[in-house]
């Protein structure tokens, strides 16, 4: 696999779009039924914040990129994830789900993820972020959007998500290129680097917030009337794409995330008892303990003028 990121950067530049490209008042909003609205609203709220999690992750990666092309790519991805969040907010507004200046609240598990990123993302190495982010992207960022399209027939929603999906396909291609790059080099070097970078309490904390987040989103998917198997298919992709690269397979953290992915897919595995318990337990965390949402997550706007 090539580690020349220049052609990808060119593709990303050519694929830029803006909220202003979409006619937010075009007909079709009435296709959202009253029955769909409350569940769709909850789903969209979480989706908006998951985009922000992606944005924050890419911001942390851009400073650690080993070459200027990759740095620029991550800067674009940071902006793109924010754009996704803003476009989803604009959709929510179109569907009458938001009051004028309202920013929706994320669920507790998403909030914990935001807190973790705020505190620890910048301390993580590129190899940690570069191994974890692809799983977030296959399982949540990219996949949730696709599930939504099956439920919603508003043509504007389809138009928006066609753009988001093509951004996401470039994110994924880059994510897996970076994984391959991280695993390139002699096994010994990869091992020493990974172990030195991986064994940190903050990473363990990260996994503790990530496990219930995934199960919580599964519950949201089921609440929307979709099969949880759809999520598992998405999780499976991490392994099916990752395994194609001998370099990626050398990464110990990749192997760990892959194993966790396998447990997620196996619905009868005791993992789910633990993860579901964690969803319940985190549900009892009082709001005041979680604190205010960090300022970087407050850059949201549904205004079409935003980039
Ligand atoms: Fe996204
Ligand atoms: Fe993404």
């Amino acid at each position: 696999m090539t580690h020349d990121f220049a052609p990808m950067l060119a593709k990303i530049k050519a694929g830029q779009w803006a909220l202003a490209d979409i006619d937010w008042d075009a007909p079709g909003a009435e296709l959202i039924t009253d029955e769909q609205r409350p569940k769709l609203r909850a789903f969209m709220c979480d989706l908006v914040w998951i985009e922000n999690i992606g944005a924050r992750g890419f911001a942390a990666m851009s400073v650690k990129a080993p070459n200027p092309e990759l740095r620029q790519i991550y800067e674009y991805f940071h902006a793109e994830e924010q754009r996704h969040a803003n476009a989803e907010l604009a959709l929510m507004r179109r569907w009458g789900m938001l009051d004028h200046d309202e920013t929706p609240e994320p669920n507790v598990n998403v909030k914990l993820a935001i807190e973790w990123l705020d505190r620890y993302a910048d301390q993580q190495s590129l190899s940690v972020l570069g191994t974890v982010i692809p799983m977030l992207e296959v399982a949540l960022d990219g996949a949730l959007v696709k599930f939504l399209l099956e439920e919603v027939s508003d043509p504007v929603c389809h138009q928006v998500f066609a753009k988001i999906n093509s951004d996401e396909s470039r994110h994924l291609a880059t994510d897996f290129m970076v994984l391959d790059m991280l695993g390139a080099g002699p096994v010994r070097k990869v091992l020493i680097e990974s172990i030195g970078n991986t064994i940190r309490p903050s990473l363990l904390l990260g996994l503790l917030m990530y496990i219930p987040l995934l199960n919580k989103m599964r519950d949201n998917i089921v609440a929307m009337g979709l099969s949880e198997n759809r999520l598992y298919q998405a999780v499976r992709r991490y392994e099916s794409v990752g395994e194609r690269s001998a370099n990626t397979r050398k990464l110990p953290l990749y192997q760990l995330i892959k194993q966790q992915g396998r447990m997620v897919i196996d619905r009868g595995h005791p993992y789910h008892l633990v993860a579901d318990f964690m969803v319940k337990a985190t549900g009892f965390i009082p709001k005041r303990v979680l604190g205010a949402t960090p300022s970087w997550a407050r850059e949201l706007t549904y205004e079409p003028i935003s980039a």
Side-chain angles (χ1 to χ4, degrees):
M1 196 182 278
T2 165
H3 302 139
D4 174 11
F5 292 93
M8 180 54 86
L9 178 59
K11 263 193 223 165
I12 293 163
K13 283 184 179 166
Q16 292 303 298
W17 57 282
L19 264 64
D21 299 345
I22 311 268
D23 178 6
W24 297 98
D25 299 320
E30 69 288 350
L31 294 167
I32 305 294
T33 63
D34 286 340
E35 197 200 338
Q36 269 180 327
R37 191 161 283 129
K39 279 165 187 164
L40 186 58
R41 186 185 188 281
F43 191 89
M44 292 292 289
C45 285
D46 289 339
L47 191 55
V48 164
W49 288 99
I50 282 169
E51 303 286 8
N52 270 283
I53 291 175
R56 184 63 182 81
F58 285 129
M61 284 169 96
S62 68
V63 268
K64 298 186 163 111
N67 58 62
E69 288 84 12
L70 193 56
R71 182 174 319 119
Q72 244 193 300
I73 286 177
Y74 285 142
E75 281 164 5
Y76 272 106
F77 286 178
H78 173 195
E80 286 177 1
E81 298 294 14
Q82 284 185 321
R83 190 176 306 136
H84 299 170
N86 291 341
E88 288 153 12
L89 270 181
L91 277 174
M92 289 179 81
R93 242 184 94 69
R94 166 179 165 81
W95 296 334
M97 293 174 178
L98 294 178
D99 288 335
H100 193 66
D101 277 332
E102 186 191 0
T103 307
E105 280 283 310
N107 76 45
V108 178
N109 300 99
V110 172
K111 207 155 184 184
L112 285 170
I114 293 171
E115 287 262 324
W116 182 87
L117 276 164
D118 195 37
R119 262 181 226 179
Y120 304 114
D122 293 327
Q123 302 173 9
Q124 306 302 319
S125 65
L126 183 73
S127 68
V128 165
L129 292 167
T131 315
V132 175
I133 293 257
M135 181 54 117
L136 265 177
E137 292 231 273
V138 285
L140 299 177
D141 186 23
L144 294 178
V145 164
K146 293 200 183 90
F147 304 157
L148 195 75
L149 285 183
E150 289 173 25
E151 288 296 299
V152 178
S153 36
D154 178 2
V156 173
C157 178
H158 283 251
Q159 210 190 331
V160 171
F161 286 140
K163 292 188 183 294
I164 292 182
N165 275 335
S166 61
D167 291 348
E168 288 305 337
S169 69
R170 290 186 291 269
H171 293 189
L172 278 180
T174 309
D175 290 342
F176 284 101
M177 266 171 90
V178 169
L179 262 175
D180 183 85
M181 179 187 77
L182 292 169
V187 178
R188 216 179 119 258
K189 188 174 155 271
V190 171
L191 267 179
I192 291 170
E193 255 179 33
S194 319
I195 290 171
N197 285 326
T198 307
I199 306 178
R200 281 196 183 172
S202 57
L203 182 67
L204 194 71
L205 267 178
L207 284 177
L208 282 178
M209 71 77 197
Y210 170 68
I211 289 170
L213 173 67
L214 208 55
N215 273 43
K216 173 75 184 178
M217 290 317 294
R218 178 207 62 202
D219 294 346
N220 281 10
I221 288 164
V222 173
M224 285 270 295
L226 288 159
S227 159
E228 61 184 90
N229 285 323
R230 301 299 314 278
L231 178 67
Y232 302 155
Q233 274 166 22
V235 169
R236 213 168 267 136
R237 231 180 128 195
Y238 183 80
E239 177 171 353
S240 63
V241 182
E243 287 303 288
R244 285 181 212 153
S245 151
N247 289 336
T248 300
R249 290 197 302 265
K250 281 194 289 188
L251 295 164
L253 187 58
Y254 163 78
Q255 293 293 342
L256 186 81
I257 305 271
K258 181 179 100 180
Q259 292 304 332
Q260 185 256 354
R262 282 187 182 173
M263 291 190 281
V264 170
I265 292 162
D266 179 359
R267 197 58 175 85
H269 197 283
Y271 167 91
H272 285 278
L273 291 175
V274 179
D276 289 338
F277 172 77
M278 286 165 87
V279 175
K280 277 211 189 93
T282 46
F284 287 113
I285 300 176
K287 264 195 173 167
R288 60 189 159 76
V289 177
L290 291 172
T293 309
S295 58
W296 56 263
R298 288 266 170 227
E299 290 165 20
L300 287 175
T301 171
Y302 54 81
E303 295 288 348
I305 39 149
S306 78

